[in-house]
């Protein structure tokens, strides 16, 4: 059983984001990342008829090989899920850990990246265009090796009260603009604004400052509402953007403080040994901090200690 768990733990380390010095895990990360990118390029070029007819066999083999590798990866991730449990592992606990992974965001992305292939194999009458579009979800597999999605969700979660408040204001403005524009335009406009849902389309693209121009008001009241909606939309969207940007900055500052604190602890004896450097490098990669920034913080702490 100990050998079983040892293999399980090691495979989990290989599949997760590589630690410092783990060349095998790093190689697997790079290989799977490259495979995802190749898949996105292949799926995109498939939609071009002349490319598809000229390289159909190549596209088919890329799909078959990729699905085979992604299927093995998915099954391995399901198998190693219990290794994330701290403490004793029971059969029930292992099943719960596997179910938790399968229903998580990462697990669903991994499943959806291979599901279109098997659906097309067992149900050939399904719309192939939809299945091809679903295959593009494989780009989300890069979240295993990049913390951008986690950082975004964490930033929103940190400022969720402010984010919810700004979103509430946007929802109010969206509904009011749609309703007012409907009553101002529905009698005179020849095509658009024939219902509140039709007006909602116009309101959304106007409030988000896109403004395609395919539906425009023709009455004086409608034009005044459009001007006011556009101005208020810029304000509210800027407010939401500012909240997320501010949360990102605060997140980076917290990480700098945590990293600096770890450097101080490591320098209590005046030197950084190999294991301490490895720990700091691991923390730097976890935080997505640049090498230059990390070296600057270490140098800053060393200079402050020297002055004392």
């Amino acid at each position: 059983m100990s050998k079983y768990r040892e293999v399980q733990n090691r495979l989990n380390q290989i599949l997760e984001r590589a630690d410092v010095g783990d060349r095998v895990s790093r190689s697997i990360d790079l290989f799977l990342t490259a495979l995802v990118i190749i898949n996105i390029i292949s799926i995109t070029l498939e939609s071009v008829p002349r490319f598809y007819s000229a390289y159909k066999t190549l596209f088919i083999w890329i799909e078959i090989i990729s699905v085979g590798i992604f299927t093995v990866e998915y099954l391995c991730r399901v198998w190693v899920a219990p290794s994330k449990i701290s403490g004793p592992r029971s059969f029930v606990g292992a099943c719960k850990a596997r179910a938790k992974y399968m229903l998580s965001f990462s697990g669903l992305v991994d499943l959806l990246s291979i599901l279109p292939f098997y659906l097309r194999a067992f149900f050939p009458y399904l719309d192939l265009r939809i299945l091809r579009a679903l295959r593009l979800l494989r780009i989300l597999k890069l979240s295993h090796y990049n913390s951008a999605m986690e950082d975004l969700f964490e930033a929103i979660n940190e400022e969720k009260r402010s984010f919810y408040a700004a979103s509430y204001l946007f929802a109010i403005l969206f509904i009011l603009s749609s309703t007012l524009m409907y009553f101002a335009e529905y009698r005179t406009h020849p095509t658009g604004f024939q219902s509140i849902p039709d007006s909602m389309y116009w309101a959304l693209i106007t409030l988000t400052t896109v403004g395609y121009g395919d539906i425009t008001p023709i009455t004086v009241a409608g034009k005044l509402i459009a001007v006011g909606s556009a101005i208020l939309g810029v304000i509210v969207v800027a407010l939401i953007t500012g909240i997320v940007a501010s949360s990102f900055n605060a997140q980076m500052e917290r990480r700098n403080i945590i990293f600096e604190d770890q450097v101080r602890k490591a320098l209590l004896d005046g030197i950084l040994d190999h294991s301490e450097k490895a720990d700091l490098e691991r923390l730097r990669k976890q935080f997505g901090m640049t090498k230059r920034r990390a070296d600057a913080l270490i140098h800053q702490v060393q200079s402050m200690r020297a002055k004392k």
Side-chain angles (χ1 to χ4, degrees):
M1 183 60 70
S2 61
K3 185 66 176 177
Y4 174 88
R5 290 185 177 177
E6 182 181 339
V7 173
Q8 196 176 53
N9 291 338
R10 178 54 184 153
L11 184 56
N12 179 61
Q13 290 175 350
I14 291 174
L15 291 174
E16 293 300 319
R17 212 170 296 160
D19 291 330
V20 178
D22 193 338
R23 293 184 178 180
V24 175
S25 180
R26 180 62 176 166
S27 299
I28 294 297
D29 289 355
L30 292 174
F31 171 74
L32 291 175
T33 299
L35 186 61
V36 170
I37 294 172
I38 290 171
N39 268 258
I40 299 305
I41 295 173
S42 173
I43 294 168
T44 303
L45 293 179
E46 273 186 37
S47 63
V48 182
R50 60 190 180 90
F51 282 135
Y52 184 72
S53 58
Y55 303 103
K56 182 177 180 180
T57 304
L58 175 62
F59 289 139
I60 291 173
W61 276 109
I62 289 175
E63 177 70 5
I64 292 173
I65 294 172
S66 299
V67 168
I69 294 172
F70 290 148
T71 301
V72 172
E73 180 203 3
Y74 177 71
L75 294 176
C76 287
R77 288 186 183 276
V78 171
W79 181 62
V80 304
S83 63
K84 297 179 175 64
I85 301 175
S86 57
R89 303 177 195 170
S90 63
F91 175 76
V92 175
C95 290
K96 287 182 178 179
R98 291 189 173 105
K100 182 179 179 181
Y101 161 72
M102 293 170 70
L103 295 174
S104 67
F105 175 77
S106 298
L108 292 174
V109 166
D110 291 339
L111 177 61
L112 289 174
S113 68
I114 59 175
L115 194 59
F117 178 86
Y118 296 109
L119 286 176
R120 186 171 53 181
F122 291 107
F123 305 100
Y125 53 83
L126 291 176
D127 191 341
L128 299 183
R129 290 171 298 177
I130 296 176
L131 295 180
R132 286 196 187 104
L134 285 175
R135 286 159 55 203
L136 287 171
L137 291 175
R138 289 173 189 170
I139 194 171
L140 296 177
K141 288 175 67 66
L142 295 178
S143 299
H144 285 302
Y145 318 109
N146 190 291
S147 62
M149 293 286 286
E150 296 174 11
D151 292 343
L152 175 61
F153 291 138
E154 185 178 342
I156 293 174
N157 186 60
E158 287 290 330
E159 296 290 340
K160 58 184 177 183
R161 291 179 63 87
S162 300
F163 187 80
Y164 291 158
S167 299
Y168 175 65
L169 292 175
F170 183 85
I172 292 175
L173 184 58
F174 170 63
I175 293 171
L176 286 177
S177 296
S178 304
T179 305
L180 291 175
M181 186 59 75
Y182 165 69
F183 285 112
E185 292 284 327
Y186 82 99
R187 294 181 185 275
T188 56
H189 204 285
T191 55
F193 308 110
Q194 297 304 302
S195 65
I196 291 179
D198 286 342
S199 300
M200 284 181 173
Y201 165 75
W202 168 86
L204 183 61
I205 62 174
T206 301
L207 292 175
T208 54
T209 70
V210 178
Y212 295 129
D214 52 344
I215 301 178
T216 56
I218 59 176
T219 65
V220 175
K223 291 178 180 179
L224 291 175
I225 293 169
V227 170
S229 298
I231 294 173
L232 292 174
V234 170
I235 294 172
V236 175
V237 170
L239 180 62
I240 294 174
T241 305
I243 290 170
V244 176
S246 176
S247 182
F248 258 112
N249 289 334
Q251 193 178 88
M252 294 300 105
E253 287 300 318
R254 283 195 298 272
R255 291 181 177 184
N256 287 340
I257 292 171
I258 293 172
F259 186 83
E260 187 175 337
D261 184 59
Q262 290 300 314
V263 173
R264 292 181 190 278
K265 291 179 180 178
L267 284 172
L268 287 176
D269 58 358
I271 59 171
L272 288 175
D273 58 32
H274 181 73
S275 63
E276 290 170 338
K277 288 181 179 179
D279 290 339
L280 290 175
E281 179 66 11
R282 189 177 300 109
L283 186 63
R284 180 189 73 81
K285 289 188 174 182
Q286 179 185 341
F287 285 171
M289 189 181 295
T290 63
K291 181 72 173 174
R292 179 179 297 180
R293 178 59 179 164
D295 290 341
L297 286 173
I298 294 173
H299 179 71
Q300 179 181 334
V301 174
Q302 288 174 330
S303 299
M304 292 175 64
R305 284 184 58 83
K307 291 178 180 179
K308 292 181 179 179

